[in-house]
Structures are given as structure tokens and as C-alpha cells.
mmCIF file of all heavy atoms in Angstrom:
data_model
loop_
_atom_site.group_PDB
_atom_site.id
_atom_site.type_symbol
_atom_site.label_atom_id
_atom_site.label_comp_id
_atom_site.label_asym_id
_atom_site.label_seq_id
_atom_site.Cartn_x
_atom_site.Cartn_y
_atom_site.Cartn_z
ATOM 1 N N ASP A 1 78.561 102.566 106.920
ATOM 2 C CA ASP A 1 78.510 102.057 108.281
ATOM 3 C C ASP A 1 79.845 101.392 108.692
ATOM 4 O O ASP A 1 80.352 101.599 109.787
ATOM 5 C CB ASP A 1 77.342 101.016 108.490
ATOM 6 C CG ASP A 1 77.232 100.502 109.852
ATOM 7 O OD1 ASP A 1 76.977 101.272 110.745
ATOM 8 O OD2 ASP A 1 77.431 99.272 110.006
ATOM 9 N N MET A 2 80.379 100.605 107.789
ATOM 10 C CA MET A 2 81.654 99.901 108.094
ATOM 11 C C MET A 2 82.779 100.909 108.340
ATOM 12 O O MET A 2 83.579 100.729 109.228
ATOM 13 C CB MET A 2 82.099 98.915 106.995
ATOM 14 C CG MET A 2 83.396 98.212 107.285
ATOM 15 S SD MET A 2 83.424 97.290 108.787
ATOM 16 C CE MET A 2 82.295 96.004 108.538
ATOM 17 N N ALA A 3 82.789 101.953 107.524
ATOM 18 C CA ALA A 3 83.833 103.000 107.691
ATOM 19 C C ALA A 3 83.747 103.628 109.136
ATOM 20 O O ALA A 3 84.772 103.845 109.769
ATOM 21 C CB ALA A 3 83.760 104.072 106.662
ATOM 22 N N GLY A 4 82.547 103.870 109.553
ATOM 23 C CA GLY A 4 82.341 104.397 110.923
ATOM 24 C C GLY A 4 82.768 103.379 112.032
ATOM 25 O O GLY A 4 83.207 103.808 113.105
ATOM 26 N N ARG A 5 82.562 102.120 111.775
ATOM 27 C CA ARG A 5 82.896 101.108 112.715
ATOM 28 C C ARG A 5 84.388 100.933 112.789
ATOM 29 O O ARG A 5 84.997 100.681 113.831
ATOM 30 C CB ARG A 5 82.225 99.801 112.383
ATOM 31 C CG ARG A 5 80.706 99.877 112.656
ATOM 32 C CD ARG A 5 79.868 98.675 112.365
ATOM 33 N NE ARG A 5 80.565 97.430 112.253
ATOM 34 C CZ ARG A 5 80.134 96.396 111.524
ATOM 35 N NH1 ARG A 5 79.026 96.537 110.833
ATOM 36 N NH2 ARG A 5 80.773 95.244 111.453
ATOM 37 N N LEU A 6 85.104 101.145 111.619
ATOM 38 C CA LEU A 6 86.581 100.978 111.632
ATOM 39 C C LEU A 6 87.264 102.204 112.200
ATOM 40 O O LEU A 6 88.317 102.114 112.781
ATOM 41 C CB LEU A 6 87.034 100.705 110.139
ATOM 42 C CG LEU A 6 86.602 99.407 109.522
ATOM 43 C CD1 LEU A 6 87.022 99.391 108.036
ATOM 44 C CD2 LEU A 6 87.203 98.221 110.260
ATOM 45 N N ALA A 7 86.715 103.381 111.907
ATOM 46 C CA ALA A 7 87.411 104.681 112.209
ATOM 47 C C ALA A 7 86.368 105.509 112.976
ATOM 48 O O ALA A 7 85.501 106.105 112.346
ATOM 49 C CB ALA A 7 87.889 105.390 111.006
ATOM 50 N N ALA A 8 86.522 105.633 114.297
ATOM 51 C CA ALA A 8 85.564 106.401 115.153
ATOM 52 C C ALA A 8 85.511 107.868 114.725
ATOM 53 O O ALA A 8 84.456 108.486 114.831
ATOM 54 C CB ALA A 8 85.964 106.320 116.668
ATOM 55 N N GLN A 9 86.543 108.410 114.104
ATOM 56 C CA GLN A 9 86.551 109.811 113.701
ATOM 57 C C GLN A 9 85.854 110.047 112.326
ATOM 58 O O GLN A 9 85.652 111.181 111.975
ATOM 59 C CB GLN A 9 88.002 110.398 113.692
ATOM 60 C CG GLN A 9 88.812 109.842 112.519
ATOM 61 C CD GLN A 9 90.279 110.083 112.739
ATOM 62 O OE1 GLN A 9 90.920 109.261 113.341
ATOM 63 N NE2 GLN A 9 90.830 111.184 112.246
ATOM 64 N N TYR A 10 85.417 108.988 111.661
ATOM 65 C CA TYR A 10 84.701 109.160 110.410
ATOM 66 C C TYR A 10 83.233 109.468 110.778
ATOM 67 O O TYR A 10 82.599 108.699 111.476
ATOM 68 C CB TYR A 10 84.785 107.848 109.545
ATOM 69 C CG TYR A 10 83.773 107.959 108.406
ATOM 70 C CD1 TYR A 10 84.041 108.737 107.340
ATOM 71 C CD2 TYR A 10 82.595 107.218 108.489
ATOM 72 C CE1 TYR A 10 83.105 108.855 106.241
ATOM 73 C CE2 TYR A 10 81.669 107.340 107.402
ATOM 74 C CZ TYR A 10 81.905 108.195 106.382
ATOM 75 O OH TYR A 10 81.046 108.294 105.352
ATOM 76 N N HIS A 11 82.772 110.581 110.254
ATOM 77 C CA HIS A 11 81.364 110.966 110.518
ATOM 78 C C HIS A 11 80.652 111.372 109.274
ATOM 79 O O HIS A 11 79.877 112.315 109.225
ATOM 80 C CB HIS A 11 81.350 112.188 111.492
ATOM 81 C CG HIS A 11 81.955 111.800 112.821
ATOM 82 N ND1 HIS A 11 81.366 110.943 113.730
ATOM 83 C CD2 HIS A 11 83.075 112.176 113.395
ATOM 84 C CE1 HIS A 11 82.116 110.774 114.835
ATOM 85 N NE2 HIS A 11 83.165 111.517 114.571
ATOM 86 N N GLY A 12 80.911 110.686 108.111
ATOM 87 C CA GLY A 12 80.188 110.948 106.928
ATOM 88 C C GLY A 12 80.961 111.915 106.028
ATOM 89 O O GLY A 12 82.100 112.354 106.379
ATOM 90 N N GLY A 13 80.400 112.213 104.924
ATOM 91 C CA GLY A 13 80.960 113.100 103.954
ATOM 92 C C GLY A 13 80.842 112.564 102.529
ATOM 93 O O GLY A 13 80.204 111.521 102.323
ATOM 94 N N TYR A 14 81.448 113.303 101.613
ATOM 95 C CA TYR A 14 81.332 112.902 100.224
ATOM 96 C C TYR A 14 82.372 111.817 99.908
ATOM 97 O O TYR A 14 83.510 111.856 100.355
ATOM 98 C CB TYR A 14 81.624 114.148 99.326
ATOM 99 C CG TYR A 14 81.443 113.924 97.854
ATOM 100 C CD1 TYR A 14 80.164 113.969 97.293
ATOM 101 C CD2 TYR A 14 82.496 113.669 97.047
ATOM 102 C CE1 TYR A 14 79.941 113.758 95.960
ATOM 103 C CE2 TYR A 14 82.298 113.419 95.642
ATOM 104 C CZ TYR A 14 81.029 113.467 95.168
ATOM 105 O OH TYR A 14 80.822 113.257 93.787
ATOM 106 N N TRP A 15 81.988 110.854 99.156
ATOM 107 C CA TRP A 15 82.848 109.737 98.735
ATOM 108 C C TRP A 15 83.153 109.798 97.271
ATOM 109 O O TRP A 15 82.322 110.110 96.430
ATOM 110 C CB TRP A 15 82.118 108.435 99.074
ATOM 111 C CG TRP A 15 82.127 108.080 100.559
ATOM 112 C CD1 TRP A 15 81.648 108.803 101.542
ATOM 113 C CD2 TRP A 15 82.764 106.933 101.169
ATOM 114 N NE1 TRP A 15 81.817 108.158 102.738
ATOM 115 C CE2 TRP A 15 82.574 106.976 102.540
ATOM 116 C CE3 TRP A 15 83.428 105.805 100.717
ATOM 117 C CZ2 TRP A 15 82.927 106.039 103.438
ATOM 118 C CZ3 TRP A 15 83.851 104.880 101.606
ATOM 119 C CH2 TRP A 15 83.674 104.997 102.941
ATOM 120 N N LEU A 16 84.376 109.446 96.925
ATOM 121 C CA LEU A 16 84.804 109.335 95.558
ATOM 122 C C LEU A 16 84.620 107.908 95.078
ATOM 123 O O LEU A 16 84.784 106.939 95.890
ATOM 124 C CB LEU A 16 86.291 109.701 95.447
ATOM 125 C CG LEU A 16 86.659 111.105 95.920
ATOM 126 C CD1 LEU A 16 88.138 111.302 96.020
ATOM 127 C CD2 LEU A 16 86.005 112.154 94.993
ATOM 128 N N PHE A 17 84.242 107.710 93.793
ATOM 129 C CA PHE A 17 84.027 106.402 93.235
ATOM 130 C C PHE A 17 85.138 106.101 92.288
ATOM 131 O O PHE A 17 85.515 106.988 91.479
ATOM 132 C CB PHE A 17 82.716 106.316 92.514
ATOM 133 C CG PHE A 17 81.459 106.353 93.362
ATOM 134 C CD1 PHE A 17 81.510 106.564 94.721
ATOM 135 C CD2 PHE A 17 80.213 106.248 92.778
ATOM 136 C CE1 PHE A 17 80.384 106.593 95.515
ATOM 137 C CE2 PHE A 17 79.031 106.302 93.532
ATOM 138 C CZ PHE A 17 79.116 106.432 94.886
ATOM 139 N N TYR A 18 85.617 104.912 92.315
ATOM 140 C CA TYR A 18 86.784 104.498 91.426
ATOM 141 C C TYR A 18 86.390 103.263 90.648
ATOM 142 O O TYR A 18 85.917 102.279 91.197
ATOM 143 C CB TYR A 18 88.014 104.208 92.222
ATOM 144 C CG TYR A 18 88.572 105.454 92.899
ATOM 145 C CD1 TYR A 18 88.208 105.784 94.209
ATOM 146 C CD2 TYR A 18 89.413 106.333 92.188
ATOM 147 C CE1 TYR A 18 88.708 106.932 94.822
ATOM 148 C CE2 TYR A 18 89.856 107.510 92.816
ATOM 149 C CZ TYR A 18 89.563 107.736 94.124
ATOM 150 O OH TYR A 18 90.018 108.921 94.733
ATOM 151 N N ALA A 19 86.631 103.270 89.376
ATOM 152 C CA ALA A 19 86.531 102.134 88.445
ATOM 153 C C ALA A 19 87.929 101.590 88.256
ATOM 154 O O ALA A 19 88.868 102.332 88.014
ATOM 155 C CB ALA A 19 85.960 102.577 87.110
ATOM 156 N N LEU A 20 88.081 100.283 88.444
ATOM 157 C CA LEU A 20 89.341 99.618 88.279
ATOM 158 C C LEU A 20 89.497 98.995 86.897
ATOM 159 O O LEU A 20 88.497 98.617 86.288
ATOM 160 C CB LEU A 20 89.517 98.557 89.320
ATOM 161 C CG LEU A 20 89.394 98.970 90.813
ATOM 162 C CD1 LEU A 20 89.490 97.819 91.771
ATOM 163 C CD2 LEU A 20 90.395 100.099 91.123
ATOM 164 N N SER A 21 90.721 98.971 86.432
ATOM 165 C CA SER A 21 90.994 98.531 85.042
ATOM 166 C C SER A 21 90.642 97.060 84.880
ATOM 167 O O SER A 21 90.463 96.603 83.750
ATOM 168 C CB SER A 21 92.433 98.781 84.673
ATOM 169 O OG SER A 21 93.324 98.155 85.516
ATOM 170 N N ASN A 22 90.458 96.332 85.967
ATOM 171 C CA ASN A 22 90.136 94.926 85.934
ATOM 172 C C ASN A 22 88.614 94.703 85.997
ATOM 173 O O ASN A 22 88.157 93.545 86.099
ATOM 174 C CB ASN A 22 90.893 94.107 86.955
ATOM 175 C CG ASN A 22 90.508 94.454 88.332
ATOM 176 O OD1 ASN A 22 89.743 95.378 88.622
ATOM 177 N ND2 ASN A 22 91.095 93.743 89.310
ATOM 178 N N GLY A 23 87.801 95.782 86.036
ATOM 179 C CA GLY A 23 86.399 95.688 86.174
ATOM 180 C C GLY A 23 85.933 95.892 87.604
ATOM 181 O O GLY A 23 84.689 95.859 87.796
ATOM 182 N N GLY A 24 86.805 96.025 88.515
ATOM 183 C CA GLY A 24 86.407 96.242 89.957
ATOM 184 C C GLY A 24 85.954 97.689 90.191
ATOM 185 O O GLY A 24 86.073 98.591 89.376
#
């Protein structure tokens, strides 16, 4: 939802997940 509020041209799709070396 936030992505759509920030960028009007965002209309869904596949998302990539990232693990950060600090645990994030």
C-alpha cells in the first residue's frame, strides 16, 4: 500500500526479498 501511495505508477507485481548482513 505504501509503495502505491509513494509512486502512482506502481500497480503491484512480484517483490524480491532481501536479508541484510546485520539481521535486517
Side-chain angles (χ1 to χ4, degrees):
D1 181 64
M2 179 55 69
R5 291 179 17 208
L6 294 173
Q9 72 198 88
Y10 169 74
H11 298 290
Y14 187 80
W15 284 58
L16 301 171
F17 290 4
Y18 294 94
L20 303 179
S21 59
N22 65 356

